[in-house]
Structures are given as C-alpha cells and as structure tokens.
Amino acid sequence: MNRYNQAVEAYVEKAIEELHFEDLLILVKDEHSLGDYLFSPCKNIEYRFSGRVGIFGNVWIESGSLIKRVEGREETIVLEDFIIELNNIVGMDELTLAQFIEEANQTIYGDLIFKERFETIKNHFLSFDFHAIDSALPGHPKILNNKGRIGWGADEFQKFAPESGSRFKLHWLAVKRDQILLGLDNNFLKEAKNDQFFLNSTQSDLSEIYEKCNNQKISLEDYIVFPVHPWQWNRYIQIQYRGMLEESLLVSLGEWGPDYSAQASIRTLSNCESKEMPDMKLSVSILNTSSYRGIPQRFIENGYKVSRGFEKVVEEDNFLRNKVLIAKEVGALSVLAGSFSRLKTSPSRFNEMLGCIVRESVPSLLKEGQSAYPVSAFFFRESDSEKNYSFVKELITESEMSYTQWFGEYFKNVVIPLYYLQVIHGIGIVAHGQNVVAFLEKGIPRGIILKDFHGDLRMSDQSVHLKEEWTKSLSKLPPQYLIHDLLTGHFVTVLRYLARVCHDFKMMSEAEFFKLLNQEINQFYKDNDINIPPEMNLLRDEFEKLQVNNVRFKIGYKETSGSPKPLVGRNIKNPIVYYNEGEKNEL
C-alpha cells in the first residue's frame, strides 16, 4: 500500500473511532468473527475491521485491519467516497459536504508531509527539544480535518506548516503609534536601549533594520516596528491595508531577522537561532480546525497583566510554586482594523488580521537538567504500525521507572495541579495537548508549563480572584462549565489516547491506568480538607460529552463573529470511577 492510501486509511479509521465516540455512528459486532466490527453507512456498503471497545465506550480500530466491501466484494477505500457515504448518517447539506471534502483533502496532504518527515526523524525523538517535538506531532487527535488550513496551497504547506520543519524569515512593518492597541511588560526587556519592544525580542543586530527605517524616513519615536507572518503580508495586508500603506501610516520594511519555524498551532513561531528568545504569535487568517487563526484584540492591552497576575497566584501558593510555570505573554500589538471595526457582527477574522503577541519560550523557563514536552507527545505513536513505536514508552524506559511509578508522577504533577487551580483558585485553562507542557527531570514528570492565555484562560464566576484587576478581561463561567477545561480538555482529549497507548504497548491496561488516577484523586481529596461541589467532583458517576466534529456537520462553514460552540452528546460513564467495568465494554 502506498503512502497516500495509508494516509486515507488512517483518516477513515480515525473518523469511525471519533464519530462513534460522538454517538453519531452505529457499529455492529460481527458474530461470526471474534473482535470484528461492521459499519454500514448505506445499503450494500460496509467497512469491516478488527478492534476493541475502550474504557470511554468508543471503538479503537486495529491499524491495518480496515477493509471496505461493496455488495460483498472488497474494494479500495477512497476518501471522497467514504465522506459521501458517511453523509448518509451525519447529514451535511451539499455546500458543507463539498467544503468538508476540500478540507479533508488538505488534511491528507499535510499528513503526507508529516509521514515523509517522520521517516527521517523517528529514531531521534528523545534527543529533540521542545520545539522539534511540538512541530513533529500529527495534530489534533479528535478533529478529523486537523490540517484543513483553508486558504493555503501546496507551496504554503511546504513553506509554513509545522510538519514540514521549514524555516523562514518574518516580514517587518512600521506602524504609527496612534494606529494601534498596545500592551507591553517593560520589565521583560528592561535592559534594552530603546523602546522597540518587538525588535529587541529577536536578540538580533538591529543595524540593518535601523538602516531600512532611515532610508524610508521612519522616526522610531513616532512608529513602532513589529513582525507579520510573510504569508499574511502577501495574502492580506498588502491589499486590505493598502490605504494605510499609501498614507505611510503603515510602512513595509521587508523580511529581516532570525529564522523562525511554526509550532503545532501554526501561528506561534519559534526563534530558530536562539531558542530561549521569545516566541512570536502572529495572525495567519486561514481556517484551521474550528476557527480562523487571527489575533483577537480583546486581550492586547491587558494580556501581559493577565500573565503577571496568574504567575503571582502560582508563586504565592505553596502547592503550585514548584509544580507550575507560566510562559508569560509579555507584549502584544494589534493594528486597528479601520472600517471593519465599525461593523458590529462582521466575521471575527477581519478584526484579527494584523496582530502580534510575544510570549516567553518554553526553553527559557527550564533549569539545567530539565526537559519539556507538550503532553500530546505522550500519546504519539508511529501512525503506520500499531505496536512499533511509542514515544512515552521510550521515555519511561530511559527514566528507569516502572510504568506505574511514571504515570503516578504524571497524575500527581500534571493532572492534580490543573484540578487544584480550578477547585482552589477558580482558574481554568483549556488543558489540551498544546496548552499544557510537562517539564521533566531525568525523564520523570515534575510539573507543568502553562501557555496561551488569549482566550484559553478562563475563570469561575465564584473565583476568589474575581476582584483582582488582572482578571477583568477573562471570561467568567459557572464552575460546572469551567470544569470541562479539564474533563474535556485533558481527560477526553489527552488521557483517552494516552490510556489507549498504554494498553496497546503493554504498559498497563486502560483499567489500571484510570485506577491509578482514581488513587491520586482520592489522595488529593484526603490531603485537602475542602468542600468539593458535586459539579466539580472528579469522582461523580458521569460527565457530559462534548461533540466537536458534529458541530461542523451541523453549522457548516458559515463565518460568524465568534467561535462555534460544541454540541452535547450522551453522558460519559466516568472511567475514573468505573474503571473495572471498562474492560468489559461492548457495543
């Protein structure tokens, strides 16, 4: 089977698994073949595979076992055919269906780049630093079209996608200071000899860029210089900001400075020449997964205050102080969007088109002997072979700990601090595999680094910090909603996959995995004499299941002024409580 067909087969396997989890597909166990299941999207067509039902009640397919039969004859699995057949069940209108197929083909193209790169790096994962690992991961585990990137073509995938591993220079602009929203933590670069915050964040020789400014008669007292993603400059800024460019309110200085490369989020870029220098998060107005990847203006002026305030909470808490680090957002800028800003319900991307956030890099926070990985790295496995390579298994082997000991440390130093932030401080962060970074010592999890606070940091409407100034711009949610930043963000979107890897690579069963988590949670309750409200109790019988793929099927691709809201499926029987029953799961 060639690489393209392998990618298509993996896509279809994931689609069946995730849409079964979202209660959208009915699977039938084949009574004549042990471990075989059937999915029939329409008459005379069936997809047959070997697999098992995991502890969350969804099927896990044995890689390489999937076959398609049409009227009893085996046929090649074709991506577009599968999606059209699937639509008999999920019910997209044809406008949405066509766009979904387009996005799926984009995703397959990105997967092919990923697979080609993986072949060259798979033997070196343990030697990789944070950014190398982050950029080499396969993408969002739940969303089917996780590399859709609508707006990009093949050249952009090769030049700017994280899986390509490409490096590129940023385009720099000078903007009149009265045309921007600005928020800077001047303590971050207090030794700088000028107030050009974004230039100083590159740690580069500024003589060349100063010469560019002089040649265009740019006064650095009147202008501030900042970067834009080179694709964004070519696709949008030259056209949509033409008036400002003609009036010299905005001036192009061209490409300059160190090389950068994309992290998994695409718009966050790492300095390739000095890894401890800050990351740059830049507007990239492509549709990827659920939204356009711009920079919202809401947090620009107060983002650094949020980071400072959150760090202060951590530093003043004896439990959190040594377990949680904050990758602070230290500077942000957004150019005012002109006529778009006067439209009250225009699509959000038009007001998020030209912005920049400077954030402390993960390597800059580490001490000697420490390493860091996005927690999504821990459920990474080689895509083409079910039991060939597991990153976390290799990592645990190097640590010389037992699997039980290692995952006990993970729960104690990664999961429990996230929960503690919620129940003690009323602070939640969407705890998916990118926002949460585990830092390790000698290969053992010792704590977490939290990042990405422009929208993914929220607060309970009952938090003890509500009156503090730094919290004013944060979204406030009832506790029963905020807890899903952990339940859905981490348990469903990280631990569900990590438990599968543990089972498949014979480290421990899914039941043993969640029994271990149960023990750590019970120990936390024992050590902290606090009143846990029922909606925050991690040992309740059930919790709500949020559907992410079904949202796309229902609302299509129509642009809105905000992000789409998830839909709710059937409740999940809590595997932390009913872990013993998980091994008996049947369809």
Side-chain angles (χ1 to χ4, degrees):
M1 184 184 297
N2 64 36
R3 192 170 287 168
Y4 172 78
N5 288 334
Q6 288 176 342
V8 170
E9 185 176 296
Y11 180 99
V12 174
E13 288 175 1
K14 177 179 176 178
I16 294 172
E17 291 170 348
E18 292 305 318
L19 299 184
H20 182 239
F21 174 75
E22 293 191 18
D23 308 319
L24 300 179
L25 304 187
I26 296 175
L27 307 181
V28 178
K29 190 167 184 179
D30 185 350
E31 299 298 336
H32 304 291
S33 178
L34 184 64
D36 275 8
Y37 296 87
L38 302 175
F39 162 57
S40 181
C42 49
K43 187 178 179 180
N44 297 326
I45 295 177
E46 65 181 26
Y47 290 83
R48 181 189 295 267
F49 53 88
S50 299
R52 64 182 178 86
V53 178
I55 202 166
F56 279 82
N58 65 281
V59 72
W60 292 127
I61 297 175
E62 182 180 324
S63 182
S65 69
L66 182 68
I67 60 172
K68 178 182 180 180
R69 292 188 183 276
V70 180
E71 296 182 339
R73 300 186 309 275
E74 187 171 335
E75 291 197 1
T76 301
I77 296 172
V78 178
L79 179 66
E80 293 87 348
D81 290 349
F82 170 76
I83 294 172
I84 291 170
E85 294 156 5
L86 177 69
N87 201 45
N88 287 294
I89 296 169
V90 301
M92 291 179 274
D93 60 60
E94 288 205 350
L95 178 62
T96 300
L97 176 59
Q99 292 173 288
F100 191 88
I101 291 172
E102 176 192 22
E103 194 180 15
N105 279 317
Q106 296 264 121
T107 296
I108 293 294
Y109 190 82
D111 286 340
L112 291 173
I113 296 173
F114 164 77
K115 289 174 182 296
E116 182 176 355
R117 185 182 177 205
F118 180 76
E119 288 302 315
T120 66
I121 64 176
K122 63 182 179 182
N123 297 322
H124 309 289
F125 255 49
L126 272 188
S127 65
F128 280 5
D129 61 17
F130 166 79
H131 173 53
I133 287 278
D134 183 72
S135 67
L137 296 175
H140 198 297
K142 287 198 301 183
I143 295 177
L144 304 188
N145 293 339
N146 63 9
K147 299 181 184 69
R149 300 162 189 168
I150 300 299
W152 276 7
D155 285 350
E156 286 80 16
F157 269 83
Q158 296 288 350
K159 290 178 182 176
F160 304 124
E163 63 271 9
S164 73
S166 297
R167 299 160 63 137
F168 52 90
K169 293 192 181 299
L170 307 184
H171 195 102
W172 290 79
L173 302 173
V175 62
K176 271 288 190 73
R177 293 177 185 263
D178 60 1
Q179 300 294 313
I180 59 173
L181 297 174
L182 188 65
L184 302 178
D185 184 351
N186 289 313
N187 290 326
F188 180 67
L189 294 172
K190 57 187 176 183
E191 296 180 4
K193 296 178 181 178
N194 59 64
D195 66 350
Q196 290 294 325
F197 186 93
F198 300 95
L199 289 176
N200 293 325
S201 297
T202 66
Q203 201 179 54
S204 297
D205 182 353
L206 303 183
S207 57
E208 181 184 346
I209 198 76
Y210 284 166
E211 183 178 352
K212 289 174 180 280
C213 290
N214 288 333
N215 290 341
Q216 300 205 50
K217 298 181 171 53
I218 297 296
S219 166
L220 294 180
E221 292 182 0
D222 298 330
Y223 288 79
I224 189 165
V225 179
F226 72 102
V228 62
H229 194 288
W231 179 83
Q232 188 79 350
W233 164 251
N234 284 320
R235 173 61 182 85
Y236 284 107
I237 306 308
Q238 291 191 72
I239 299 170
Q240 300 300 330
Y241 286 79
R242 194 74 239 164
M244 291 185 68
L245 289 162
E246 293 293 336
E247 295 179 26
S248 295
L249 299 174
L250 191 64
V251 179
S252 170
L253 301 173
E255 294 188 356
W256 168 84
D259 287 344
Y260 284 80
S261 60
Q263 295 183 13
S265 68
I266 298 177
R267 59 185 163 172
T268 301
L269 310 175
S270 293
N271 188 319
C272 298
E273 297 172 22
S274 182
K275 296 184 184 301
E276 294 193 353
M277 291 307 291
D279 296 334
M280 297 287 190
K281 186 173 182 178
L282 308 179
S283 299
V284 183
S285 299
I286 54 173
L287 176 63
N288 195 52
T289 62
S290 62
S291 62
Y292 282 85
R293 299 295 161 175
I295 302 294
Q297 294 182 342
R298 176 181 172 186
F299 303 99
I300 293 295
E301 294 176 297
N302 296 314
Y304 75 93
K305 297 176 184 176
V306 171
S307 291
R308 272 195 202 166
F310 190 16
E311 185 176 61
K312 186 171 184 285
V313 168
V314 168
E315 289 177 344
E316 292 179 352
D317 187 296
N318 290 332
F319 177 79
L320 297 175
R321 186 179 299 124
N322 296 317
K323 293 181 184 291
V324 179
L325 300 173
I326 304 300
K328 296 192 297 297
E329 290 164 359
V330 294
L333 175 151
S334 180
V335 178
L336 299 175
S339 59
F340 293 125
S341 62
R342 302 203 299 269
L343 306 177
K344 294 182 180 179
T345 58
S346 67
S348 56
R349 67 184 176 96
F350 292 109
N351 288 304
E352 301 175 359
M353 201 178 292
L354 189 48
C356 171
I357 298 169
V358 179
R359 183 173 69 209
E360 290 181 304
S361 69
V362 166
S364 72
L365 302 175
L366 299 177
K367 298 177 182 177
E368 187 174 351
Q370 292 181 335
S371 57
Y373 305 101
V375 295
S376 55
F378 298 143
F379 57 80
F380 175 72
R381 63 197 299 164
E382 185 173 0
S383 303
D384 298 333
S385 179
E386 187 75 8
K387 298 178 177 65
N388 188 23
Y389 179 78
S390 160
F391 175 68
V392 75
K393 185 171 185 178
E394 186 180 28
L395 190 63
I396 295 171
T397 300
E398 289 288 316
S399 76
E400 299 183 351
M401 288 191 110
S402 70
Y403 301 128
T404 300
Q405 289 172 323
W406 196 94
F407 283 108
E409 292 299 308
Y410 180 92
F411 295 143
K412 188 182 303 178
N413 296 316
V414 175
V415 176
I416 295 300
L418 291 168
Y419 186 47
Y420 181 98
L421 277 166
Q422 289 227 7
V423 297
I424 302 298
H425 294 284
I427 297 173
I429 187 164
V430 182
H432 58 59
Q434 288 179 22
N435 282 349
V436 180
V437 176
F439 68 83
L440 291 73
E441 295 174 357
K442 297 182 179 179
I444 303 166
R446 294 305 186 201
I448 52 177
I449 299 171
L450 300 179
K451 60 187 181 71
D452 208 358
F453 307 142
H454 280 232
D456 279 357
L457 183 70
R458 289 98 75 85
M459 183 160 281
S460 165
D461 58 13
Q462 299 174 26
S463 171
V464 296
H465 301 286
L466 285 177
K467 294 183 180 179
E468 296 173 20
E469 185 65 27
W470 69 274
T471 70
K472 299 302 182 187
S473 61
L474 298 180
S475 297
K476 312 299 189 299
L477 300 174
Q480 65 268 28
Y481 295 156
L482 191 70
I483 193 64
H484 274 279
D485 287 354
L486 182 60
L487 290 176
T488 300
H490 202 77
F491 290 6
V492 172
T493 312
V494 176
L495 299 187
R496 181 162 62 105
Y497 303 99
L498 191 49
R500 178 191 188 179
V501 168
C502 284
H503 175 280
D504 289 350
F505 286 85
K506 301 187 180 342
M507 290 180 272
M508 63 178 68
S509 69
E510 291 188 69
E512 291 169 328
F513 182 91
F514 282 99
K515 180 180 180 180
L516 191 59
L517 178 55
N518 176 294
Q519 292 169 350
E520 289 297 337
I521 292 169
N522 272 306
Q523 188 64 48
F524 173 76
Y525 289 153
K526 182 179 178 181
D527 294 343
N528 294 272
D529 186 19
I530 53 177
N531 181 29
I532 304 290
E535 64 271 16
M536 300 287 286
N537 185 359
L538 295 184
L539 299 180
R540 54 177 154 148
D541 286 350
E542 296 180 332
F543 59 88
E544 300 79 10
K545 179 188 296 181
L546 302 186
Q547 301 171 325
V548 292
N549 291 291
N550 197 25
V551 175
R552 181 63 73 207
F553 302 147
K554 297 300 183 189
I555 70 170
Y557 290 83
K558 182 180 178 181
E559 292 192 57
T560 64
S561 57
S563 296
K565 305 299 182 187
L567 300 173
V568 179
R570 294 198 300 264
N571 279 2
I572 296 170
K573 196 170 186 178
N574 191 350
I576 309 171
V577 176
Y578 296 104
Y579 49 84
N580 282 328
E581 296 183 20
E583 294 186 333
K584 306 171 188 176
N585 272 343
E586 296 291 344
L587 293 176

